[in-house]
Amino acid sequence: MNFDLIEEHKMIRDMAKGFADEVIAPSAEEMERTGQYPYDIMNKMAELGMMGIPFPEKYGGSGGDWVGTHICIEEISRGDITLGALLDVTTSVTGQEIDVFGTEEQKKEWLVPIAQGTKIGAFALTEPDSGSDAGALRTRAVLEGDEWVLNGTKQFVTNIGLDNASIALIAAISGKGQRGNIISTFIVPKDAPGFQLGKGYEKMAWHGSATHEIILENCRIPKKNLLGDPSRGFAQHLAVLETGRISIAAVSVGVAQACLDEALHYARERTQFGRPIFDFQAIQFKLADMAVSIELARNQYLKAAWLKDQKRKHTFEATVAKLFASEMVEKVASDAVQIHGGYGYMDEYPVSRYYKGAKLLQIVEGTSEVQRMIIGRVLAGGM
Amino acid sequence: MNIIVLIKQVPDTTDVKLDPKTGSLIREGVESIINPDDRHALEAAISLKKAEGGKVTVLSMGPPQTIDALSEAIGMGANEAILLSDSAFAGADTWATSFTLGKSIEKIGRYDLIFCGRQAIDGDTAQIGPQVADYLHVPQVTYVFEIEKILKKTIIVKRRLEDGYERVQCNLPALLTVIGELNVPRYPMVGKLIDACKEKSPIKIWNASDIGVQANDVGLEGSFTQVIKTFAPKFKRQGEMLEGDARKVAGTLVEKLKENKLI
């Protein structure tokens, strides 16, 4: 048993920490206020190799592992939640699905630019009538000669609105089997004929995140853009979403750490009744509880990522990490606002941004309710 | 162009705390970093290499954990690094350190430029650069804040003075000590950091016999100076409460300030 980070992980952490503090954090408030996507920061992250940490060097990656990837995601998210989510979607989910299930040709064409960060990947599963019940999707794909023709609508597609977004991995019904619809995954380039980028959403927060709807109207893609096993597209999606859950846990820990740092700083500075409010037990206990839950959530996402690196089953651990960390960050962010009092509700203090942002972490990559369903299935011995 | 950079690993704090009983530095809970000025030296070397071609070799003397600083330097873009680590090197003053570094540079062989940071945040001596240059008999320029031009056999740089700057042309090979104004250091790249941590990393470890020195020429034995005692100066606050009503207190305060020539 050893809880020490290895040198490689410490180095990645220190680099990402410095980058988050010096480059991201100073721009985070403006990103949220203006909704301008931070291309300059993304390009720097790409140059430093942050988009391709877990992928082999021959596919443009850094040859690292999933622990290192998630340590990086935590630190980046401490600077800005949307950049952490960007890494989740482009690296943990989209990049990984191509890396694990793609052909050599597909990896060269689509994974290399995603791993290098020159292009950003997106992942499209959710539809207007198919959210937690992801298997109920309606988008259809029909093979016509050498092309697949896709029709349907995908919702809440993170990253796809970015100028340098290259593809979306799209799950669609491609036929009928003995047990119902066959779902396949397709690599759909953003510039494919019939691919329409829908409107960007007006969101409560996460304004730096380029989330759009996608409308596929007789969208034509080459036959070779089918990803992996045509009958296992849904299972492929679910497999990489398991990593996505670890990533959202790491994002949650990063945001929660930012909340604790701000709240601790404020509690020491703010004087009421003649002493810093930190001296009051009511405040100190809140801070202590925040620190406790962050510590536990961090240990859990690291454990899940470590199991993944050992190529061992980690459905339970990843789901526990996601559920605990995303519930934790909403509470921690709420307490951080509370410690700030009225100031905490003002946009000039970062905790108001953290609080608004934290809520979504209980919803993305499977809601807290879905996480409990999965844990329930594991307990029932079904997974 | 062959460039050598001398770096030091230091505790990450400007507010160094000493154990009041032993007088030694409290290292517990303090992370180690590349000395800030040395990071600018690394940046200068790496960007020069990118522009002119060549190779950057990083050299550092310290305990085994100094390898972290060297890995980071490789992550930034240095080609190779050498850690000088030997129990015989321990306790060296700036002279013994400069001698050890100088011997190592002779072993490395051909070089055009040596970069150092101006000074380390833990010792603040600013002596290593100049002493190494002296040992190697090469010209030195300190407090460099701009590298203007590199010619075939010379370099033109600007060095910061208290009330302006000097523009200096000097022959190569030369040693430059640099200040923060010179550049903005880059972040290390993830892929290079990972490579630096692998078994086949381009980091070598040299001990006393590797660089051909005797134990009594280096470390504490080879030092001309010895630290007898380190201590934190005690600050005593001399407060004085002024009595009386506001008018009287204000009058006394003004008098006291005048008395002490503060107004």
Side-chain angles (χ1 to χ4, degrees):
Chain A
M1 190 86 218
N2 187 348
F3 280 101
D4 280 326
L5 294 181
I6 60 170
E7 193 193 0
E8 171 183 325
H9 297 145
K10 278 192 250 174
M11 294 267 159
I12 293 174
R13 181 197 60 194
D14 292 349
M15 184 275 285
K17 200 183 182 93
F19 188 84
D21 287 336
E22 291 152 25
V23 181
I24 300 177
S27 309
E29 189 273 331
E30 194 190 334
M31 263 159 66
E32 181 67 10
R33 184 166 38 80
T34 63
Q36 301 279 327
Y37 304 141
Y39 290 107
D40 53 336
I41 297 178
M42 284 184 241
N43 291 339
K44 281 182 198 155
M45 286 168 66
E47 281 166 25
L48 294 173
M50 291 190 209
M51 314 289 198
I53 296 177
F55 305 125
E57 285 164 80
K58 70 169 175 169
Y59 299 126
S62 300
D65 60 19
W66 290 101
V67 168
T69 303
H70 286 96
I71 287 171
C72 180
I73 291 178
E74 182 196 327
E75 288 302 331
I76 295 303
S77 307
R78 200 172 49 77
D80 181 75
I81 192 169
T82 61
L83 287 168
L86 178 137
L87 286 176
D88 164 34
V89 174
T90 195
T91 308
S92 306
V93 179
T94 312
Q96 185 188 188
E97 193 163 341
I98 302 172
D99 186 34
V100 176
F101 301 105
T103 62
E104 189 64 23
E105 193 192 345
Q106 286 170 335
K107 288 188 207 184
K108 282 201 174 120
E109 186 170 5
W110 305 108
L111 177 60
V112 169
I114 284 175
Q116 289 172 339
T118 52
K119 297 287 179 195
I120 302 293
F123 179 89
L125 179 61
T126 301
E127 296 183 2
D129 295 316
S130 154
S132 292
D133 186 7
L137 58 89
R138 289 183 188 168
T139 298
R140 286 188 177 273
V142 178
L143 190 61
E144 283 183 13
D146 278 344
E147 287 179 330
W148 286 99
V149 182
L150 281 76
N151 279 287
T153 303
K154 293 287 176 184
Q155 248 188 330
F156 306 141
V157 185
T158 303
N159 290 352
I160 198 68
L162 294 171
D163 294 343
N164 55 343
S166 55
I167 51 147
L169 295 185
I170 287 182
I173 300 165
S174 62
K176 215 159 180 66
Q178 287 171 336
R179 295 195 300 169
N181 289 330
I182 293 171
I183 296 173
S184 310
T185 298
F186 300 92
I187 301 172
V188 183
K190 207 177 156 186
D191 56 6
F195 184 108
Q196 287 176 45
L197 189 65
K199 59 181 187 335
Y201 295 95
E202 290 193 15
K203 295 171 289 221
M204 178 165 129
W206 288 55
H207 297 137
S209 183
T211 315
H212 286 247
E213 190 176 58
I214 296 173
I215 302 122
L216 302 165
E217 215 175 299
N218 291 321
C219 176
R220 291 178 172 273
I221 55 167
K223 191 178 169 184
K224 60 173 187 166
N225 280 23
L226 174 83
L227 180 63
D229 183 338
S231 64
R232 296 193 46 81
F234 191 58
Q236 285 171 202
H237 258 35
L238 294 188
V240 294
L241 278 177
E242 200 158 274
T243 314
R245 292 203 285 272
I246 307 174
S247 302
I248 292 301
V251 172
S252 302
V253 173
V255 174
Q257 185 64 51
C259 290
L260 176 59
D261 294 345
E262 284 297 323
L264 189 57
H265 176 74
Y266 185 82
R268 286 199 171 123
E269 299 271 304
R270 172 73 169 173
T271 302
Q272 290 289 278
F273 306 102
R275 49 188 164 151
I277 62 170
F278 180 82
D279 290 351
F280 294 102
Q281 206 173 46
I283 302 298
Q284 240 180 61
F285 276 20
K286 268 195 181 59
L287 291 163
D289 286 346
M290 290 159 89
V292 167
S293 56
I294 292 170
E295 178 74 9
L296 294 174
R298 182 178 289 126
N299 283 341
Q300 185 61 23
Y301 91 65
L302 286 171
K303 182 180 178 185
W306 178 82
L307 282 168
K308 180 167 174 61
D309 282 331
Q310 308 303 311
K311 302 194 175 7
R312 281 159 58 181
K313 193 165 169 57
H314 55 277
T315 305
F316 176 74
E317 289 79 5
T319 312
V320 168
K322 199 282 179 178
L323 175 62
F324 183 77
S326 62
E327 295 283 308
M328 171 284 284
V329 68
E330 200 228 8
K331 172 82 171 91
V332 164
S334 170
D335 283 345
V337 171
Q338 195 68 22
I339 289 169
H340 280 68
Y343 288 119
Y345 204 68
M346 301 298 121
D347 282 345
E348 66 180 290
Y349 283 83
V351 288
S352 80
R353 184 173 78 240
Y354 301 154
Y355 182 51
K356 283 184 275 185
K359 179 66 209 173
L360 189 56
L361 296 169
Q362 298 173 322
I363 298 169
V364 292
E365 311 299 37
T367 60
S368 291
E369 291 69 29
V370 165
Q371 307 304 319
R372 287 188 172 91
M373 274 166 55
I374 297 169
I375 294 167
R377 271 182 224 151
V378 173
L379 293 178
M383 284 180 95
Chain B
M1 176 153 265
N2 286 327
I3 307 170
I4 294 171
V5 188
L6 307 182
I7 69 169
K8 183 179 188 184
Q9 192 185 44
V10 295
D12 181 12
T13 176
T14 41
D15 179 26
V16 176
K17 290 195 177 75
L18 297 178
D19 184 325
K21 276 185 194 151
T22 62
S24 60
L25 195 68
I26 300 174
R27 283 185 175 270
E28 187 87 340
V30 182
E31 298 257 338
S32 293
I33 55 166
I34 296 176
N35 178 52
D37 281 344
D38 302 356
R39 196 177 279 278
H40 294 282
L42 276 168
E43 175 60 37
I46 291 160
S47 54
L48 206 56
K49 176 193 82 170
K50 296 224 156 143
E52 308 273 328
K55 190 171 112 176
V56 173
T57 305
V58 184
L59 191 57
S60 188
M61 186 178 101
Q65 66 263 29
T66 308
I67 207 145
D68 288 351
L70 295 174
S71 298
E72 201 180 332
I74 298 284
M76 287 172 74
N79 299 79
E80 56 179 36
I82 299 159
L83 169 62
L84 304 173
S85 204
D86 193 315
S87 53
F89 297 152
D93 68 356
T94 63
W95 167 251
T97 304
S98 304
F99 172 74
T100 311
L101 290 168
K103 275 285 190 188
S104 310
I105 292 169
E106 284 174 343
K107 182 178 159 109
I108 293 170
R110 219 169 65 79
Y111 59 89
D112 303 291
L113 266 174
I114 301 170
F115 280 102
C116 310
R118 170 193 48 181
Q119 66 194 47
I121 55 170
D122 58 350
D124 278 333
T125 68
Q127 290 168 0
I128 298 292
Q131 285 176 169
V132 170
D134 183 64
Y135 174 84
L136 296 168
H137 300 292
V138 297
Q140 56 171 297
V141 186
T142 51
Y143 303 99
V144 171
F145 71 96
E146 191 187 322
I147 296 167
E148 202 179 285
K149 205 181 260 179
I150 299 214
L151 304 161
K152 263 205 167 143
K153 290 192 168 156
T154 63
I155 187 168
I156 302 172
V157 299
K158 287 179 182 161
R159 66 185 296 258
R160 181 60 69 204
L161 302 175
E162 263 178 37
D163 50 358
Y165 66 84
E166 273 178 6
R167 194 164 160 265
V168 183
Q169 178 163 15
C170 91
N171 288 336
L172 296 177
L175 183 145
L176 310 179
T177 81
V178 309
I179 61 174
E181 210 181 326
L182 176 66
N183 54 36
V184 180
R186 71 194 62 204
Y187 293 95
M189 289 172 69
V190 177
K192 286 183 175 165
L193 283 177
I194 290 171
D195 288 344
C197 297
K198 283 186 181 148
E199 264 179 51
K200 280 187 180 169
S201 85
I203 303 175
K204 283 183 270 192
I205 299 173
W206 287 356
N207 60 23
S209 68
D210 289 325
I211 58 169
V213 293
Q214 303 295 325
N216 55 5
D217 290 332
V218 293
L220 193 61
E221 281 191 66
S223 295
F224 293 144
T225 58
Q226 278 177 30
V227 178
I228 297 166
K229 187 185 172 191
T230 49
F231 61 96
K234 284 191 183 116
F235 292 102
K236 261 193 201 158
R237 273 207 192 133
Q238 295 182 325
E240 188 182 341
M241 297 302 288
L242 304 179
E243 305 283 339
D245 60 14
R247 180 172 286 274
K248 194 179 166 213
V249 168
T252 323
L253 179 64
V254 170
E255 264 171 39
K256 296 250 175 209
L257 290 173
K258 275 185 184 162
E259 214 173 274
N260 288 290
K261 299 193 178 7
L262 290 166
I263 54 174

